[in-house]
């Protein structure tokens, strides 16, 4: 199981939880599992989310591997320049 910190508006879509645990080995598996457990997250996930994995931010890196001891933070997609 991987502990996932939910940031910002994602918390309200996951029953107000700041941290959840899911069984996932990749970014895609993590998103699929979150949508299955918390359907309210699906609209935000479809709009786009970013994954911070051990301090590095990823976007659309579907097959990025997630270790069981990784620090995982899921946040609404961030734009900037």
């Amino acid at each position: 199981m991987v502990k996932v910190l939910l940031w910002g508006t994602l918390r309200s879509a996951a029953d107000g939880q700041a941290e959840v645990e899911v069984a996932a080995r990749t970014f895609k598996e993590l998103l699929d599992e979150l949508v299955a457990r918390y359907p309210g997250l699906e609209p935000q996930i479809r709009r786009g989310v970013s994954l911070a994995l051990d301090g590095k931010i990823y976007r659309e890196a579907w097959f990025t591997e997630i270790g069981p001891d990784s620090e995982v933070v899921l946040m609404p997609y961030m734009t900037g320049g």
Side-chain angles (χ1 to χ4, degrees):
M1 297 292 272
V2 176
K3 289 184 182 179
V4 182
L5 298 175
L6 300 174
W7 205 14
T9 57
L10 297 176
R11 289 180 181 175
S12 62
D15 302 328
Q17 296 183 74
E19 181 177 286
V20 297
E21 286 191 45
V22 297
R25 294 173 295 161
T26 65
F27 185 25
K28 179 164 182 355
E29 287 179 10
L30 179 119
L31 295 180
D32 290 345
E33 180 68 20
L34 287 172
V35 167
R37 289 178 53 190
Y38 305 101
L41 284 171
E42 187 171 14
Q44 179 63 57
I45 288 173
R46 285 182 181 264
R47 281 191 297 274
V49 291
S50 295
L51 172 79
L53 180 61
D54 296 325
K56 184 175 179 183
I57 297 176
Y58 295 87
R59 183 176 155 251
E60 297 181 8
W62 306 119
F63 301 105
T64 300
E65 291 190 20
I66 300 172
D69 297 322
S70 293
E71 177 186 65
V72 181
V73 180
L74 190 68
M75 60 197 101
Y77 176 61
M78 302 173 83
T79 60

